[in-house]
């Protein structure tokens, strides 16, 4: 029984082999880098930054981003090596299948639903705040019952709010789902355009805001501790775990492996370049925000707008911020809707999910049924759940997947040293161990008991699906028989 659960997939030669249409290889290094940036810069820079500074870290939010970036850099190097070895759209799921076995692969794949599907829902919730703020400029107002979640998390309890559902969040998710349905070239092109716009707008905000920074707001840089996870170093660690959510997506490039023209060369470039660019922008924005407004006033749904409004001379920036936020958040949702169906597609080909998940559209060459299922699921979550519940679960699921990738590189170096590697993790034993330890550190010290309880329930549901369907339909096990 145990040997069956830990069976490993060693043959990935069927990456593009399927009956009927296949995915199109249309993405180069710039398209992949834009995919990574598109996935990363969104909710973190426009929402999470303010919340983490106000509630946990103060001006030391800059340290939170640096700690999270270091954790991600170890993992990014491991993703880059795996991408050259297994250029498949399954990302962490496929890497775990090759090194840790089927049961762990399922567990990682199930957690990737958090990383991509649920995170897209969290970002869509943030999108609503900026959308309604932009409507205010035109004197337009949507009823609150249609712009808020019907559920909220208050004092460790789930309560009802009286709202119906989050209509703008549902609308943007379904619109971008349609774009993903009609082709990777079209959706990637739109994403690249949005990435160029939002990076330019962020640079403008940083440059213009820097002239109004008050250095006094940065003192004390690390506020005195006021209780568990409230400032001090414990607050910085909690803040690092929270802003880790802001980095999720740099590895989304690996889910487009089967649509890359030269995956062995271009995937490492896209993964590492997107992480580096986003880290620089995050640190710059965090420094400016905490210099424009006292950190305890940044805990709003629109912290960048709040900081800009505090300076009348920057009033002209508010429009740019809101437009930039809408573009930035939209591109995150878009990339997540691109990524999740492709992971489901590989799981469907492996027999872990029903065959319908592996179907490719004959004209658009996309996993179309899969994309529709993913879009509807993301929209449903965004309609009823608030940001705080979704964000913490996403971070936990991603950290677990990152641990698996770092461990997988070490295993494959020992078991398959002969495999050609166009990119190799430098100082692999040290880098991989540090990657695992940093992820575990954020998991153990950055998450509270409620998040662990929710993760436990999520895991139970996932294993229920695996033993109810995946275990009995695994193509790897069928081949062994």
């Amino acid at each position: 029984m145990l040997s069956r659960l830990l069976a490993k997939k060693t043959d990935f030669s069927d990456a593009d082999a399927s009956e009927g249409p296949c995915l199109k290889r249309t993405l180069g290094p710039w398209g992949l880098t834009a995919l990574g940036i598109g996935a990363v810069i969104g909710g973190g820079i426009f929402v999470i930054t303010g919340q983490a500074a106000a509630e946990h870290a103060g001006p030391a939010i800059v340290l939170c981003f640096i700690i999270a970036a270091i954790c991600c850099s170890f993992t990014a190097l491991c993703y880059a090596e795996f991408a050259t070895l297994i250029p498949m759209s399954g990302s962490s799921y496929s890497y775990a299948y090759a090194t840790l076995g089927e049961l762990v692969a399922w567990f990682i794949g199930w957690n990737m639903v958090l990383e991509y599907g649920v995170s897209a829902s969290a970002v869509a919730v943030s999108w609503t705040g900026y959308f309604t703020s932009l409507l205010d400029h035109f004197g337009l107002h949507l009823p609150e019952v249609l712009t808020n979640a019907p559920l909220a998390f208050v004092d460790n309890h789930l309560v009802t709010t009286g709202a119906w559902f989050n209509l703008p969040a549902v609308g943007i998710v379904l619109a971008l789902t349609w774009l993903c349905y009609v082709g990777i070239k079209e959706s990637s092109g739109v994403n690249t355009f949005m990435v160029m716009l939002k990076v330019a707008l962020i640079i403008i905000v940083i440059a213009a805001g820097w002239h109004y920074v008050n250095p006094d707001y940065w003192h004390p840089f690390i506020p005195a501790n006021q209780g568990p996870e409230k400032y001090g170093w414990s607050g910085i660690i909690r803040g690092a775990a929270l802003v880790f959510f802001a980095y999720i997506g740099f590895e989304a490039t690996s889910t487009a492996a089967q649509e890359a023209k030269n995956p062995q060369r271009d995937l490492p470039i896209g993964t590492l370049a997107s992480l580096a660019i986003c880290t620089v922008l995050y640190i710059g924005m965090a420094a400016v925000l905490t210099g424009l407004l006292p950190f305890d006033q940044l805990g709003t749904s629109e912290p960048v707008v709040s900081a800009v409004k505090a300076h009348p001379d920057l009033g002209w920036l508010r429009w740019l911020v809101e437009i930039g936020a809408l573009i930035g958040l939209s591109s995150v949702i878009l990339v997540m809707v691109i990524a999740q169906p492709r992971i489901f597609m590989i799981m469907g080909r492996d027999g872990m999910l029903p065959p319908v998940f592996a179907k490719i559209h004959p004209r658009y060459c996309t996993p179309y049924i899969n994309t529709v299922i993913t879009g509807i699921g993301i929209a449903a979550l965004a309609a009823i759940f608030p940001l705080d519940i979704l964000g913490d679960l996403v971070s936990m699921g991603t950290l677990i997947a990152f641990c698996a990738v770092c461990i997988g590189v070490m295993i494959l170096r020992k078991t398959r040293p002969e495999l050609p590697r166009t990119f190799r993790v430098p100082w692999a034993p040290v880098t991989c161990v540090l990657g695992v330890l940093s992820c575990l550190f954020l998991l153990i010290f950055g998450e509270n008991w409620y998040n662990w309880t929710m993760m436990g329930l999520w895991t139970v549901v996932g294993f229920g699906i695996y033993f109810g369907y995946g275990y009995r339909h695994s193509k790897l096990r069928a081949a062994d028989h």
Side-chain angles (χ1 to χ4, degrees):
M1 175 69 174
L2 184 60
S3 62
R4 293 180 179 179
L5 292 175
L6 298 180
K8 299 179 180 64
K9 184 176 180 180
T10 58
D11 181 12
F12 291 92
S13 59
D14 62 341
D16 290 314
S18 64
E19 296 180 3
C22 295
L23 302 176
K24 289 182 179 178
R25 294 192 176 274
T26 60
L27 300 178
W30 289 111
L32 291 167
T33 301
L35 203 65
I37 297 173
V40 173
I41 297 180
I45 203 166
F46 292 111
V47 181
I48 302 295
T49 301
Q51 294 178 354
E55 300 171 14
H56 301 291
I61 183 66
V62 172
L63 293 181
C64 296
F65 277 112
I66 292 174
I67 292 171
I70 292 172
C71 173
C72 290
S73 65
F74 297 135
T75 310
L77 293 169
C78 295
Y79 267 100
E81 178 167 323
F82 257 130
T84 66
L85 287 169
I86 308 173
M88 291 188 66
S89 296
S91 189
S92 306
Y93 161 78
S94 294
Y95 308 157
Y97 213 159
T99 56
L100 300 172
E102 184 174 284
L103 182 65
V104 177
W106 169 266
F107 176 62
I108 299 302
W110 182 242
N111 281 328
M112 291 179 75
V113 177
L114 292 175
E115 182 178 357
Y116 295 122
V118 179
S119 70
S121 301
V123 173
V125 172
S126 302
W127 192 91
T128 297
Y130 282 95
F131 178 68
T132 54
S133 178
L134 187 62
L135 290 182
D136 288 343
H137 289 298
F138 302 98
L140 301 174
H141 307 282
L142 291 174
E144 289 191 4
V145 293
L146 293 178
T147 58
N148 291 289
L151 300 175
F153 188 61
V154 180
D155 296 329
N156 292 331
H157 290 89
L158 203 61
V159 299
T160 57
T161 64
W164 295 352
F165 66 98
N166 193 328
L167 177 61
V170 172
I172 186 62
V173 170
L174 294 182
L176 294 174
T177 298
W178 171 81
L179 183 61
C180 295
Y181 183 97
V182 299
I184 184 65
K185 187 174 182 179
E186 291 77 9
S187 50
S188 176
V190 170
N191 175 68
T192 300
F193 175 72
M194 289 194 292
V195 164
M196 293 171 62
L197 277 180
K198 71 178 176 181
V199 169
L201 291 173
I202 289 169
I203 292 173
I204 291 173
V205 171
I206 293 173
W210 193 261
H211 296 288
Y212 295 87
V213 162
N214 183 353
D216 291 339
Y217 292 158
W218 291 335
H219 300 286
F221 185 67
I222 302 178
N225 182 263
Q226 298 180 14
E229 302 179 348
K230 188 76 170 179
Y231 310 132
W233 279 103
S234 66
I236 290 174
I237 298 305
R238 174 62 181 136
L242 191 62
V243 302
F244 180 82
F245 174 80
Y247 284 100
I248 290 173
F250 71 85
E251 80 295 350
T253 53
S254 62
T255 66
Q258 288 170 240
E259 288 149 302
K261 296 176 182 177
N262 187 349
Q264 280 82 3
R265 183 199 67 183
D266 297 343
L267 285 173
I269 294 174
T271 302
L272 297 173
S274 59
L275 178 60
I277 293 170
C278 294
T279 298
V280 172
L281 293 176
Y282 277 155
I283 293 173
M285 182 67 89
V288 167
L289 286 184
T290 52
L292 289 176
L293 194 66
F295 64 85
D296 56 358
Q297 297 178 30
L298 289 172
T300 68
S301 61
E302 304 167 273
V304 184
V305 170
S306 300
V308 168
K309 286 169 63 177
H311 299 269
D313 291 343
L314 292 176
W316 61 275
L317 266 183
R318 182 177 175 181
W319 282 81
L320 285 180
V321 169
E322 290 173 343
I323 294 172
L326 288 174
I327 294 171
L329 296 171
S330 297
S331 70
V332 174
I333 299 168
L334 176 63
V335 175
M336 297 307 179
V337 179
I338 290 173
Q340 185 64 72
R342 283 151 181 80
I343 296 168
F344 281 155
M345 178 190 73
I346 298 299
M347 296 175 78
R349 289 182 180 180
D350 289 337
M352 296 290 101
L353 292 173
V356 67
F357 283 88
K359 289 186 176 295
I360 304 296
H361 196 284
R363 176 184 173 187
Y364 300 126
C365 297
T366 57
Y368 63 114
I369 298 177
N370 209 339
T371 299
V372 171
I373 293 172
T374 299
I376 292 175
I378 291 172
L381 286 175
I384 60 176
F385 286 106
L387 176 65
D388 51 358
I389 293 177
L390 297 175
D392 283 326
L393 268 180
V394 170
S395 294
M396 293 188 74
T398 306
L399 284 166
I400 292 170
F402 282 7
C403 283
V405 171
C406 293
I407 294 171
V409 167
M410 291 189 290
I411 292 176
L412 218 55
R413 284 286 185 95
K414 292 291 186 182
T415 58
R416 300 295 299 277
E418 80 285 356
L419 291 176
R421 293 166 168 84
T422 54
F423 178 89
R424 297 177 68 89
V425 174
W427 307 293
V430 175
T431 302
C432 295
V433 169
L434 288 175
V436 173
L437 292 178
S438 58
C439 289
L440 290 177
F441 182 77
L442 292 180
L443 271 173
I444 295 171
F445 297 102
E447 304 293 346
N448 57 39
W449 68 267
Y450 179 79
N451 295 336
W452 280 105
T453 302
M454 294 292 288
M455 176 56 70
L457 293 174
W458 176 262
T459 301
V460 169
V461 172
F463 281 143
I465 296 173
Y466 171 72
F467 286 107
Y469 184 88
Y471 179 79
R472 295 184 293 110
H473 295 83
S474 168
K475 292 185 177 180
L476 178 63
R477 188 171 299 105
D480 292 338
H481 291 307

